[in-house]
Amino acid sequence: MGNPPVAVITGTTHGIGTVTSHGLARAGYTVVMLCRNVQAATVLAQDIGARAPGSRIEVVHCDLASLSSVRAAAREVRERHPRIDRLINNAGIVSTWHRFSVDGHELTFATNYLGPFLLTRLLLPALAPGTRIINVSSKVHYRGRVDLDSVDNPRASYNSIAAYARSKLANVLDTFALARRLAGTGITANCLHPGVVATNLLPGWLNFIRPLFRRFILTPEQGARTTLYLALNSQAATLHGEYLDEHQQVRPAARIAHDLLLQEQLLTRSARWTGLNQASA
């Protein structure tokens, strides 16, 4: 028998990422968890191993808000695994106030978009026909506006929801642009809305009114369904350059997400921000 397939996933220590990691392990994947909190990830790896005997779970330190950390993580993953079968960009944050990454970019945008952008490009050489790239976005991308000049401007006005929406629109724009570039390679790229999920992304004040709309909030198990569908379902292998909802249905993304000029402007600026070049790719 050959080696088990390899799945690389970010943001596994909470919510959807935890459930997704369990599902991948049960499906027979070697799960490589890229996490900022190595201690928490190690505890999770032990739990997954106990629940899925025989599974192989690895932990690699990766702070998506730090481009140097992303580069180090990508290098370690490629040294361990010449071939990657699933790449799931799952991690996400919402910064409640205007903060910046160590590289000088607005923190929510840096964590939710720039880090995954760089990670994906650095891991592309390890991807082969049949590999699936899955980006966890959000329905909030419909409200997003990508003002590229404000990403590293400390004087720009800041709203946490607007910042989150911008980062998630960037995820969709990037998915569609990447899908065009991967056409004909056998590697697929898709993005999704997991639903409104009861995770640590929800602001604390929401706990006071949570009972009013409890029926609209999904559990992490429900929120992980579309990610696991894209990763594991045989029918999902034919999907490419699509946006799916929490019910595993293909839906139209925001019109602006299909703007080819904006896609290219974002990619050009992202390559400059991350220092991406042919040598590093």
Side-chain angles (χ1 to χ4, degrees), residues 111-184:
T111 304
N112 295 356
Y113 169 68
L114 282 180
F117 168 87
L118 179 60
L119 178 67
T120 299
R121 270 62 182 185
L122 294 177
L123 294 182
L124 276 178
L127 310 188
T131 298
R132 305 181 193 182
I133 301 171
I134 301 164
N135 293 326
V136 178
S137 183
S138 169
K139 191 175 183 178
V140 77
H141 87 273
Y142 288 103
R143 298 173 55 184
R145 297 291 182 270
V146 178
D147 178 3
L148 300 177
D149 292 329
S150 67
V151 171
D152 50 10
N153 181 3
R155 295 184 177 85
S157 61
Y158 184 78
N159 175 279
S160 61
I161 300 302
Y164 185 66
R166 174 176 62 182
S167 71
K168 291 303 172 180
L169 174 58
N171 289 147
V172 181
L173 285 160
D174 183 43
T175 301
F176 291 167
L178 183 61
R180 286 191 289 110
R181 284 164 167 75
L182 293 174

Side-chain angles (χ1 to χ4, degrees), residues 22 26 28 162 232 265 272:
H22 277 281
R26 288 194 300 269
L232 303 177
Q265 290 174 337
R272 191 179 81 199

Side-chain angles (χ1 to χ4, degrees), residues 16 60 172:
I16 295 173
V60 174
V172 181

Side-chain angles (χ1 to χ4, degrees), residues 86-118:
R86 300 290 184 270
L87 173 57
I88 304 174
N89 290 305
N90 168 79
I93 68 162
V94 180
S95 179
T96 54
W97 66 93
H98 203 184
R99 293 187 289 169
F100 289 84
S101 70
V102 294
D103 303 292
H105 309 298
E106 189 274 308
L107 187 62
T108 298
F109 191 83
T111 304
N112 295 356
Y113 169 68
L114 282 180
F117 168 87
L118 179 60

